[in-house]
Amino acid sequence: MMKFRFRRQGADPQREKLKQELFAFHKTVEHGFPNQPSALAFDPELRIMAIGTRSGAVKIYGAPGVEFTGLHRDAATVTQMHFLPGQGRLLTLLDDSSLHLWEVVHHNGCAHLEEALHHQPPSRPGFDGASGLPSLARITVVLLVAAGDLAALGTEGGSVFFLDVPTLTLLEGQTLGPDEVLRSVPDDYRCGKALGPVESLQGHLRDPTKILIGYSRGLLVIWNRAARCADRIFLGNQLESVCWERSGRTLVSSHSDGSYAVWATDAGDSPTTQPTVATTPYGPFPCKAISKILWRNCASGEHFIVFSGGMPRASYGDRHCVSVLQAETLVTLDFTSRVIDFFTVHSTRPEDEFDEPQALAVLLEEELVVLDLQTPGWPAVPAPYLAPLHSSAITCSAHVANVPAKLWARIVSAGEQQNPQPASGASSWPITGGRNLAQEPTQRGLLLTGHEDGTVRFWDASGVALRPLYKLSTAGLFQTDCEHADSLAQAAEDDWPPFRKVGCFDPYSDDPRLGVQKVALCKYTAQMVVAGTAGQVLVLELSDEPSDQAVGVASVDLLQDREGFTWKGHERLSPRTGPLPWPAGFQPRALVQCLPPAAVTAVTLHAEWGLVAFGTSHGFGLFDYLRRSPVLARCTLHPNDSLAMEGPLSRVKSLKKSLRQSFRRIRKSRVSGKKRSTAASSKVGQAAGRPGGATGGKAGLPSLVPLKLQEANAQLAEQAGPHDVEVTPVQRRIEPRSADDSLSGVVRCLYFADTFLRDAAHHGPTMWAGTNSGSVFAYALEVPAAAANSDRRPERAVEAVLGKEVQLMHRAPVVAVAVLDGRGRPLPEPYEASRDLAQAPDMQGGHAVLIASEEQFKVFTLPKVSAKTKFKLTAHEGCRVRKVALATFASVACEDYAETCLACLTNLGDVHVFSVPGLRPQVHYACIRKEDISGIASCVFTRHGQGFYLISPSEFERFSLSARNITEPLCSLDISWPRDAMRASYRPQESPKLSQANGTPGVVLGPQSRSGSPDPTRSEGTDTPELPEATLSPTSVDSATSADTTLDTTGDVTVEDVKDFLGSSEESEKNLRNLSEDEARACPILIG
């Protein structure tokens, strides 16, 4: 029987207020190493460091937890950065020759980064003739002089301009042109040639009126600004870099032929043609250019010379090296990525006579390396942040919340044994500026990342700084070719140059089959499961002592001898035999090999029962790791699912096939939709034209019912009016998926629960498995109790019996399964209830199971498995589910109030939150760009309403859905302003503070339009107001570092993701067409 479905307009104001106290969306901090760095700066007074990127981002780092982030309005490359010492101000130069002045401003006790001024110098003569400003060619180098109030700008044309930094205005009458310099040069040196671009500008530490200018052709000039004349002139070769020694009596220059020269400034006549020392450190064969050189003196007389490049072209021209020379000691630091820049941490006070360098910081394209120069051997200093997450490509990730203190200490101890520190106390992180004002985290959070080389890295994700704790490697369990390759590499190495491998970035994997696909950790028993690309499932346990032990291997055939299937993919990994040495940390206890050796797609661990479940594209299995015996193997392949047997090496062919099938389904649905609409219209026409009365009899009666219903609905609509009722939104029509779709047997999720499956009176262990074809298998488990104080299972084996099997109507892939207790709360984790670590579940009321598919969420009662409530996300929103998690949201108004909700990420990058078990929509936010397939695939939710996703191969963006649980930088800097009046008089009109493009609060994009637009407020409901168009940067949709960034392999990128991306426009047109057709038919009838 049809019924009218009306809904009152408006929402409950109390519920809306509660939503604001529970939910709020913030992008809080970016963890990891900045993507594509391009510039480096260091403030020796404040001890802070700045990194600029190719996308225009500026990131300032101090002590752990002290971070500031800004973004230029134009997505241009940051080429140079210079701190105004001690002032918390930063001058940046972009590749379009624009200059920008940034300030660290304090507000309400916390500091944030703002762009105060920007200047775009004229670049063509005559363009700005009316303004009277001189025209600049491209700026090549910037030098801050006179305590940062004045800047010298070297250009490509050979001129040097001077800029007033507080106002960013060019000073007229002080420009130094190349013609003025050439008057001091001998006639035979001129030869009608230009001096070339300005390659280097250096200031005198004690005399700010003197500037050392280095030209590309090789001319070095010490220019006296006060007297406007050249004090000294040096004639050298093609110039790359210059460094002025602290006292000013010596300068060192590096050249394009791989040599460097030392010049004395206080001896001989001017011009000087012969340096005091000239050497090619890696000669005599042709060498590459030395791009940068530093000279640092010491009281002992053994000075430091640090330079990059200069390697022999023929043999080591492809190496990325920085050389450190002190007296007779030379070390060639060999890195795996390109050198961007470097600096030394040394004394800069004018009263000090020597530099006495303490540390060397080298910024590379993929990591930051810091060396302790005061400890013998110059060891590397472990970084408390900025660790390269992508030292090997990230393939999966997981978050563990509320880690017990004992387990945390054991993991930290194992990590310290992996990287023992030298006994000297000088080996400390040198970048210590600022104060972290954030409170100590109330709970410890672990972020686990699986990598392509078979490693799992443990990160401290409790605060702003993502600190590395421990690294687990699984490669040692298998036989690979890496040992042979290492021996060959060592044999090929010569004693000269004295290479020393530094850094941990290693993008190359010895065997792609080692890649980690899934990880699961039990925080109460310190046991974990690591599953890989070749079907290997490894059960490990944390041990505080090294050991030698053999690992038992068990094989599970998921095909169950099914005929007609032949595996065409890669071979399984060969495990090593016999006892193997294992360091302290997680040590393997059992190895399960899935057959065929396909990549593991799902895994779960129940340490209290001693069981691990795993699934691949062929089926799922259950393994008892206490008795080292398989319990269950179930094949989920469809008879037509031959694609699952091809393996990852045939992905190109598989992608073409799946796309072809997708287009066929679209065409089929269009044709069937047209047929349905034409058939319906013809039937309505025939019914309307059919006469009633005695000739029609009973056959004519049904034709009158729709007409009467239409009349009744029309009258109701007229009486109610448009302001009193609101029609339930029209749902999109969803086409059922074919049963023989490719990869329909892929196991998407696995879940253990103690619930009612057989009857309503007895509960017990169960296992749930969801597949790509919309099937859910529920098994009842018989788990014998273990003996007291024993980890061994009794002789009786675990038994599994199929209890229920659910087939979803539209055959949408099952993303997650969760059981809810009698109160509608998710069941606690293993050992939480038995050890009184969480509230015991309600086992008196009826349980329910929540099944989340890609298209809808549905709650079924247990044990009858009858539908209770559902929400059709795809039908209502036109999107598909990619990630789901049950999270607890605590109220900011009441400490004791919290709600458990379902967080969902869609293929469009939106995050939705639903109540549990009612499945009522609460809020939704735009989180990730829909084009960022890898970012969506890599998203991980936490139990307390936060999340992580990759915005680049090396960075996680952290976001929060909770109004209370927010992890964001709260810090301050002790800065001094020598010219407050000048700063205040030239300060532009303040722009309203926005959320930066990467979502980091407390950061302003820069000077916006002077229209005085109001502050955009954050949305707490389901609608997100758009920011004024004038205040948005070109990359404001997502992070500064994620603009035009694509990842190679990150997370579980499926064929469905690619279908969504390629067919998004066509699918949206289809949905709009269907929606308009449905509205045209449904609006006059008003029947649901």
Side-chain angles (χ1 to χ4, degrees):
M1 178 178 178
M2 298 184 180
K3 59 182 179 180
F4 301 108
R5 298 177 61 188
F6 297 102
R7 188 174 57 194
R8 290 186 179 179
Q9 195 173 19
D12 183 4
Q14 293 184 354
R15 182 59 191 173
E16 291 301 315
K17 180 182 178 182
L18 187 58
K19 285 182 183 179
Q20 295 180 3
E21 297 171 354
L22 292 173
F23 311 110
F25 179 72
H26 306 277
K27 289 185 179 180
T28 54
V29 67
E30 295 172 0
H31 295 301
F33 184 77
N35 187 44
Q36 297 181 330
S38 57
L40 178 67
F42 180 68
D43 188 338
E45 295 188 20
L46 296 180
R47 310 279 283 195
I48 56 177
M49 174 186 66
I51 296 178
T53 69
R54 295 185 192 175
S55 59
V58 176
K59 302 191 176 187
I60 298 178
Y61 301 93
V66 178
E67 295 185 13
F68 307 97
T69 307
L71 177 68
H72 291 90
R73 292 179 60 85
D74 298 326
T77 300
V78 182
T79 56
Q80 293 185 44
M81 297 193 298
H82 300 273
F83 275 107
L84 280 65
Q87 301 181 25
R89 294 194 288 179
L90 179 70
L91 184 65
T92 61
L93 172 67
L94 306 186
D95 60 355
D96 60 358
S97 291
S98 62
L99 294 164
H100 304 258
L101 183 64
W102 296 82
E103 297 178 355
V104 176
V105 181
H106 288 76
H107 180 68
N108 293 333
C110 295
H112 60 272
L113 188 64
E114 290 184 5
E115 182 183 349
L117 296 169
H118 73 271
H119 173 69
Q120 180 70 55
S123 58
R124 293 289 185 271
F127 274 35
D128 294 339
S131 64
L133 295 176
S135 62
L136 275 72
R138 188 177 69 88
I139 299 176
T140 56
V141 63
V142 178
L143 170 67
L144 293 178
V145 294
D149 291 336
L150 189 69
L153 311 178
T155 66
E156 202 169 34
S159 299
V160 178
F161 295 82
F162 291 93
L163 183 81
D164 182 60
V165 174
T167 61
L168 284 191
T169 56
L170 292 174
L171 300 178
E172 300 184 27
Q174 297 192 23
T175 303
L176 175 61
D179 295 338
E180 191 173 356
V181 176
L182 280 173
R183 299 192 192 107
S184 305
V185 177
D187 296 337
D188 57 347
Y189 187 80
R190 301 177 194 174
C191 301
K193 297 181 181 179
L195 296 177
V198 179
E199 288 289 342
S200 180
L201 291 173
Q202 296 288 321
H204 197 289
L205 185 63
R206 295 184 173 88
D207 189 355
T209 62
K210 294 183 178 180
I211 296 178
L212 174 62
I213 308 173
Y215 294 93
S216 174
R217 188 178 163 192
L219 178 67
L220 301 175
V221 178
I222 298 179
W223 186 260
N224 192 321
R225 288 195 304 115
R228 294 195 64 85
C229 65
D231 286 354
R232 295 298 306 274
I233 293 178
F234 308 91
L235 306 179
N237 299 326
Q238 184 80 22
L239 187 68
E240 291 289 333
S241 174
V242 178
C243 180
W244 208 346
E245 185 259 339
R246 184 185 189 90
S247 64
R249 294 188 295 267
T250 305
L251 60 91
V252 57
S253 62
S254 65
H255 304 277
S256 60
D257 59 355
S259 65
Y260 70 85
V262 179
W263 309 80
T265 62
D266 55 355
D269 299 330
S270 182
T272 302
T273 58
Q274 294 297 327
T276 305
V277 177
T279 181
T280 304
Y282 296 108
F285 299 105
C287 296
K288 299 192 72 174
I290 295 179
S291 57
K292 181 177 180 179
I293 191 166
L294 295 178
W295 174 294
R296 299 289 180 253
N297 57 15
C298 301
S300 62
E302 297 180 345
H303 309 307
F304 278 91
I305 297 179
V306 185
F307 60 90
S308 60
M311 303 307 296
R313 287 184 177 272
S315 52
Y316 303 109
D318 58 343
R319 297 289 186 100
H320 310 290
C321 298
V322 171
S323 301
V324 182
L325 174 64
Q326 185 186 28
E328 301 299 325
T329 304
L330 174 64
V331 174
T332 307
L333 306 175
D334 189 10
F335 303 101
T336 55
S337 58
R338 185 170 60 91
V339 178
I340 303 297
D341 202 355
F342 58 90
F343 64 83
T344 59
V345 179
H346 61 280
S347 172
T348 57
R349 293 178 297 180
E351 59 270 18
D352 291 342
E353 186 177 355
F354 300 100
D355 295 313
E356 298 294 344
Q358 306 165 14
L360 170 66
V362 183
L363 176 65
L364 307 163
E365 198 168 33
E366 306 293 350
E367 61 182 324
L368 178 74
V369 176
V370 177
L371 299 181
D372 181 9
L373 298 181
Q374 293 185 331
T375 301
W378 304 332
V381 180
Y385 50 84
L386 284 178
L389 302 174
H390 64 316
S391 53
S392 176
I394 297 177
T395 52
C396 69
S397 53
H399 184 269
V400 182
N402 298 328
V403 179
K406 184 178 180 181
L407 174 61
W408 188 271
R410 295 177 65 190
I411 293 176
V412 171
S413 175
E416 291 175 349
Q417 294 183 49
Q418 286 182 334
N419 302 301
Q421 298 301 314
S424 173
S427 179
S428 59
W429 186 249
I431 304 165
T432 58
R435 296 194 307 274
N436 183 12
L437 304 179
Q439 297 180 354
E440 283 294 321
T442 57
Q443 56 92 18
R444 297 291 184 181
L446 270 180
L447 182 65
L448 309 180
T449 56
H451 298 264
E452 193 179 31
D453 61 354
T455 60
V456 178
R457 286 172 168 81
F458 292 65
W459 307 89
D460 179 5
S462 309
V464 172
L466 192 68
R467 183 169 61 99
L469 297 179
Y470 168 73
K471 182 178 76 171
L472 164 67
S473 177
T474 62
L477 184 59
F478 304 99
Q479 297 178 4
T480 59
D481 297 333
C482 60
E483 296 88 355
H484 181 63
D486 288 344
S487 61
L488 291 178
Q490 292 176 1
E493 291 285 353
D494 297 328
D495 293 334
W496 183 261
F499 287 117
R500 173 182 160 191
K501 287 284 186 182
V502 182
C504 60
F505 177 72
D506 184 11
Y508 306 106
S509 174
D510 299 321
D511 194 326
R513 296 175 296 174
L514 292 171
V516 177
Q517 295 296 320
K518 299 291 177 181
V519 293
L521 172 67
C522 176
K523 58 188 177 184
Y524 301 112
T525 60
Q527 296 175 346
M528 71 178 302
V529 177
V530 178
T533 305
Q536 70 271 25
V537 180
L538 196 58
V539 182
L540 306 103
E541 188 173 1
L542 184 60
S543 175
D544 299 327
E545 300 294 334
S547 65
D548 293 333
Q549 60 180 356
V551 180
V553 182
S555 298
V556 178
D557 184 10
L558 298 180
L559 289 181
Q560 295 293 290
D561 300 327
R562 184 173 295 193
E563 298 180 356
F565 291 94
T566 304
W567 173 248
K568 303 175 184 177
H570 48 246
E571 298 293 330
R572 57 181 289 182
L573 285 166
S574 300
R576 299 178 186 272
T577 58
L580 300 174
W582 301 104
F586 282 92
Q587 300 173 354
R589 293 291 182 260
L591 172 63
V592 184
Q593 179 62 55
C594 300
L595 298 175
V600 178
T601 57
V603 74
T604 186
L605 169 71
H606 201 294
E608 196 168 0
W609 300 338
L611 298 175
V612 57
F614 47 87
T616 69
S617 57
H618 307 121
F620 56 88
L622 182 63
F623 185 77
D624 181 356
Y625 60 84
L626 294 180
R627 298 182 73 249
R628 309 289 202 277
S629 63
V631 177
L632 169 70
R634 171 69 182 261
C635 181
T636 57
L637 284 178
H638 190 272
N640 297 332
D641 196 1
S642 59
L643 183 58
M645 306 306 295
E646 296 179 0
L649 300 181
S650 305
R651 295 301 291 171
V652 177
K653 175 183 175 184
S654 305
L655 182 60
K656 290 180 180 179
K657 182 177 178 181
S658 60
L659 290 177
R660 192 181 303 117
Q661 292 177 350
S662 178
F663 286 125
R664 284 176 181 171
R665 282 199 302 272
I666 292 174
R667 286 196 296 267
K668 186 188 302 182
S669 63
R670 284 179 174 174
V671 173
S672 61
K674 291 178 180 178
K675 289 181 179 179
R676 280 196 299 269
S677 61
T678 55
S681 61
S682 63
K683 288 182 180 179
V684 171
Q686 292 173 4
R690 184 180 301 163
T695 56
K698 294 183 179 179
L701 185 60
S703 65
L704 300 177
V705 176
L707 296 178
K708 293 182 178 180
L709 282 175
Q710 290 179 14
E711 294 175 0
N713 287 332
Q715 293 177 1
L716 284 174
E718 291 176 0
Q719 293 173 3
H723 301 289
D724 297 331
V725 296
E726 178 187 356
V727 185
T728 303
V730 179
Q731 298 182 6
R732 293 167 176 82
R733 184 169 56 248
I734 306 300
E735 295 292 336
R737 307 192 185 197
S738 174
D740 58 351
D741 273 355
S742 299
L743 299 176
S744 62
V746 175
V747 177
R748 295 289 295 271
C749 62
L750 292 163
Y751 178 70
F752 286 115
D754 185 356
T755 185
F756 301 90
L757 186 62
R758 294 177 175 173
D759 54 61
H762 303 87
H763 63 87
T766 61
M767 185 194 75
W768 301 72
T771 71
N772 230 23
S773 60
S775 299
V776 178
F777 303 93
Y779 283 83
L781 307 178
E782 289 289 342
V783 182
N789 300 325
S790 174
D791 292 337
R792 295 181 58 84
R793 177 92 66 200
E795 295 301 325
R796 191 160 62 91
V798 178
E799 297 179 1
V801 179
L802 180 62
K804 306 289 183 183
E805 183 173 347
V806 181
Q807 177 61 58
L808 301 183
M809 183 181 300
H810 288 96
R811 299 185 179 275
V814 179
V815 179
V817 176
V819 172
L820 309 176
D821 67 1
R823 304 187 193 95
R825 300 174 181 175
L827 299 182
E829 295 183 10
Y831 284 111
E832 278 190 338
S834 61
R835 298 184 180 182
D836 295 330
L837 300 172
Q839 185 178 3
D842 182 5
M843 308 302 288
Q844 303 299 325
H847 283 199
V849 58
L850 169 62
I851 298 179
S853 72
E854 284 191 356
E855 296 178 358
Q856 68 177 4
F857 308 119
K858 202 164 187 177
V859 176
F860 298 87
T861 61
L862 289 177
K864 293 184 178 181
V865 193
S866 58
K868 184 177 180 182
T869 181
K870 65 181 176 181
F871 183 85
K872 299 180 179 180
L873 185 68
T874 303
H876 286 288
E877 305 291 340
C879 53
R880 291 176 179 169
V881 179
R882 285 291 173 259
K883 303 283 183 177
V884 294
L886 290 168
T888 302
F889 294 87
S891 172
V892 293
C894 179
E895 293 185 0
D896 298 332
Y897 183 78
E899 289 186 8
T900 299
C901 298
L902 179 70
C904 156
L905 176 70
T906 71
N907 64 322
L908 301 182
D910 299 332
V911 176
H912 298 252
V913 179
F914 299 89
S915 64
V916 174
L919 296 182
R920 296 184 181 90
Q922 301 299 305
V923 290
H924 75 269
Y925 309 101
C927 182
I928 311 175
R929 293 179 299 115
K930 65 180 180 180
E931 298 85 3
D932 189 3
I933 302 175
S934 298
I936 294 174
S938 63
C939 182
V940 175
F941 289 107
T942 73
R943 292 183 59 185
H944 300 287
Q946 295 194 38
F948 303 84
Y949 69 93
L950 286 172
I951 55 176
S952 73
S954 59
E955 286 177 292
F956 272 110
E957 175 79 78
R958 189 177 192 138
F959 64 90
S960 174
L961 303 174
S962 172
R964 180 175 173 181
N965 186 19
I966 302 175
T967 303
E968 60 183 353
L970 296 174
C971 47
S972 66
L973 274 179
D974 296 326
I975 56 179
S976 59
W977 289 90
R979 299 174 65 179
D980 285 335
M982 180 68 70
R983 169 177 175 259
S985 61
Y986 287 101
R987 187 161 181 87
Q989 178 180 351
E990 287 290 344
S991 57
K993 252 174 52 169
L994 308 177
S995 293
Q996 191 209 346
N998 64 347
T1000 305
V1003 179
V1004 173
L1005 297 182
Q1008 284 96 21
S1009 61
R1010 308 290 173 86
S1011 60
S1013 56
D1015 243 353
T1017 57
R1018 294 185 183 272
S1019 168
E1020 303 293 346
T1022 57
D1023 295 325
T1024 305
E1026 295 185 0
L1027 297 177
E1029 189 172 339
T1031 63
L1032 291 179
S1033 71
T1035 56
S1036 62
V1037 177
D1038 201 44
S1039 169
T1041 56
S1042 64
D1044 299 329
T1045 301
T1046 56
L1047 283 76
D1048 297 331
T1049 54
T1050 311
D1052 302 327
V1053 181
T1054 64
V1055 176
E1056 293 295 332
D1057 298 328
V1058 182
K1059 291 179 186 176
D1060 296 335
F1061 179 63
L1062 296 180
S1064 58
S1065 60
E1066 190 170 354
E1067 186 174 330
S1068 60
E1069 293 175 3
K1070 172 188 172 184
N1071 289 334
L1072 288 174
R1073 194 180 302 113
N1074 291 340
L1075 184 59
S1076 61
E1077 293 175 359
D1078 292 342
E1079 285 178 346
R1081 291 193 299 268
C1083 290
I1085 301 176
L1086 294 177
I1087 291 181

